[in-house]
Amino acid sequence: MTNDYRFEFRPYQRRFLRTLTTNHGNWNIREGIILRLTDESGKIGWGEIAPISWFGSETLEQALDFCRQLPKEITDEIIFSIPDELPACQFGFESAYEMGSGEWGVGSGGDEGDNFITPNSCTDAINRVCTNSLFYSALLPAGEAALNQWETLWEQGYHTFKWKIGVYAIADELEIFESLIDTLPDFTKLRLDANGGLSYEEANLWLRTCDNFKANAEVPVEIEFIEQPLPVEQFQQMLELSLSYETAIAIDESVATLRQLAACHQQGWRGIFVIKPGIVGSPSRLRNFCHQYKINTVFSSVFETAIGRLAALRLAAELSRNNRAVGFGIDHFLEQEETWLQSLWNDL
Ligand SMILES: O=C(O)CCC(=O)c1ccccc1C(=O)O
Ligand SMILES: [Mg+2]
């Protein structure tokens, strides 16, 4: 049986509170697309397409072109046959379909009834469903700024942090790293994310440094893993590093999409896989892959709105096998999300 949906979409732009600096450069504005599917009975599902082309997904333009060429009425067949070249679109459309099917319980319990689902229902659902069942990791700013940021976040309840490395000179970052380790409270977990920005020698130096901290009983901070130390092209070297050090390696850019995820697993990666549901592709195929191969995952945001975040966190809650903190920590944006979403879709 095929169902028909009315399809609407709105492109958006959101400014980050502060510039996001990684080895890929500076990022100031998050651009994406919010979409709404309405079935024949009036049931609504929201979806979000939030590509990161420098990370391996389609570009925003490609996603927009795809949305623009679709008719105003679409079928499940269209939703489930979006090409693999558009992974962020696969995620956006399929999660809107799932939300609309009603099985998520989004919008239930309100006075307006089940059909009146607004983007802000997603925020409510996150608070109802995800906040109690998941631990969150918060992203620290790169460089020295991390030293005076973690404390506020600690007070907000975060005990796992991610710090970007490969941004400044390695000698400076190693020095800041030592200060961080010295000042972070006992039992803090720390992740280092190089975004593929280290040389082979630098990666060895970081891993050796982390192993030394690990061997030192006086260091009560747990270095959870180093994320994507080398560029995507250097998969074999990362595989070798993952077998040479105690400190775990998580691959991220290398597994941006489902196709890459399958290829890395097939080539023998048994370390940690970072999953960014927002760009990895079809949620149903992600479920199948995770169930079949029982991979070691850490779920991570693409700085999406509450719409994409709800869909991603539901997958994280369903598919995480180790209670690892999810990288969906703090609100990185200037405008207050609820009012911003309301004004984006002003006919609500
Ligand atoms: O994973 C997290 O903890 C936060 C999200 C994050 O770091 C991120 C967000 C958008 C794009 C790339 C990355 C990354 O992990 O490199
Ligand atoms: Mg990363």
Side-chain angles (χ1 to χ4, degrees):
M1 194 186 82
T2 59
N3 293 306
D4 286 310
Y5 305 89
R6 181 156 54 94
F7 163 58
E8 300 157 280
F9 68 99
R10 302 261 199 289
Y12 73 74
Q13 295 199 329
R14 291 176 91 188
R15 182 168 286 278
F16 287 113
L17 202 51
R18 59 161 87 206
T19 303
L20 252 132
T21 307
T22 71
N23 179 261
H24 299 279
N26 291 336
W27 193 8
N28 287 303
I29 295 173
R30 211 292 165 248
E31 294 183 286
I33 302 165
I34 302 294
L35 62 98
R36 179 165 74 181
L37 301 180
T38 310
D39 78 3
E40 284 144 328
S41 69
K43 277 215 219 91
I44 284 172
W46 294 90
E48 177 169 0
I49 304 169
I52 319 180
S53 56
W54 53 262
F55 210 87
S57 83
E58 70 270 50
T59 63
L60 178 75
E61 253 339 286
Q62 289 169 315
L64 274 172
D65 286 346
F66 178 75
C67 291
R68 288 190 191 118
Q69 56 81 44
L70 285 176
K72 286 195 169 62
E73 300 276 330
I74 64 169
T75 59
D76 337 64
E77 210 181 310
I78 289 179
I79 295 168
F80 286 91
S81 59
I82 299 173
D84 287 348
E85 285 65 41
L86 302 171
C89 290
Q90 288 180 339
F91 170 81
F93 279 85
E94 240 189 81
S95 44
Y97 165 91
E98 286 183 18
M99 189 193 297
S101 72
E103 65 203 57
W104 291 10
V106 179
S108 58
D111 295 339
E112 315 281 351
D114 282 352
N115 288 352
F116 194 78
I117 298 174
T118 68
N120 291 335
S121 312
C122 298
T123 312
D124 299 339
I126 289 170
N127 292 334
R128 269 203 323 274
V129 183
C130 304
T131 306
N132 295 324
S133 61
L134 295 167
F135 297 104
Y136 288 74
S137 160
L139 190 58
L140 296 172
E144 277 187 313
L147 293 170
N148 41 43
Q149 277 289 307
W150 67 263
E151 202 161 358
T152 325
L153 294 164
W154 179 273
E155 281 158 9
Q156 288 167 24
Y158 293 102
H159 296 165
T160 300
F161 299 113
K162 180 155 110 176
W163 184 50
K164 296 288 188 184
I165 60 171
V167 176
Y168 302 102
I170 188 164
D172 297 338
E173 288 186 342
L174 284 167
E175 204 173 304
I176 300 164
F177 178 58
E178 269 191 55
S179 312
L180 249 184
I181 297 279
D182 282 344
T183 51
L184 285 172
D186 292 4
F187 309 115
T188 307
K189 290 186 184 180
L190 185 62
R191 306 168 169 181
L192 305 176
D193 189 357
N195 285 107
L198 305 179
S199 68
Y200 184 72
E201 290 70 32
E202 290 171 334
N204 276 282
L205 181 51
W206 272 109
L207 286 159
R208 201 158 56 238
T209 306
C210 292
D211 274 13
N212 287 340
F213 277 123
K214 216 182 178 77
N216 180 350
E218 253 128 72
V219 177
V221 171
E222 183 190 331
I223 297 149
E224 206 182 355
F225 52 75
I226 297 188
E227 200 167 306
Q228 195 75 32
L230 303 178
V232 173
E233 307 76 54
Q234 292 171 37
F235 175 76
Q236 288 304 329
Q237 286 94 320
M238 282 195 286
L239 194 55
E240 178 215 305
L241 291 175
S242 73
L243 304 171
S244 310
Y245 292 93
E246 287 290 312
T247 303
I249 296 179
I251 49 174
D252 188 10
E253 280 86 340
S254 292
V255 290
T257 64
L258 268 168
R259 195 188 275 173
Q260 291 171 289
L261 183 62
C264 288
H265 185 265
Q266 209 268 327
Q267 288 173 72
W269 186 264
R270 296 297 177 269
I272 302 164
F273 296 83
V274 178
I275 309 272
K276 289 179 162 55
I279 54 170
V280 82
S282 150
S284 56
R285 281 165 47 206
L286 177 68
R287 280 192 193 93
N288 291 343
F289 187 88
C290 290
H291 287 146
Q292 182 171 0
Y293 295 108
K294 315 230 175 328
I295 56 174
N296 190 352
T297 55
V298 49
F299 284 78
S300 163
S301 110
V302 291
F303 303 132
E304 56 279 86
T305 72
I307 293 171
R309 194 156 64 239
L310 173 62
L313 287 173
R314 289 188 55 95
L315 284 164
E318 185 186 338
L319 301 174
S320 289
R321 300 174 60 251
N322 43 29
N323 229 8
R324 220 184 259 290
V326 294
F328 284 82
I330 50 177
D331 185 5
H332 292 274
F333 293 95
L334 202 57
E335 302 101 337
Q336 204 265 336
E337 182 162 279
E338 297 201 8
T339 38
W340 176 83
L341 270 168
Q342 205 92 49
S343 61
L344 179 76
W345 212 289
N346 45 23
D347 62 344
L348 287 172

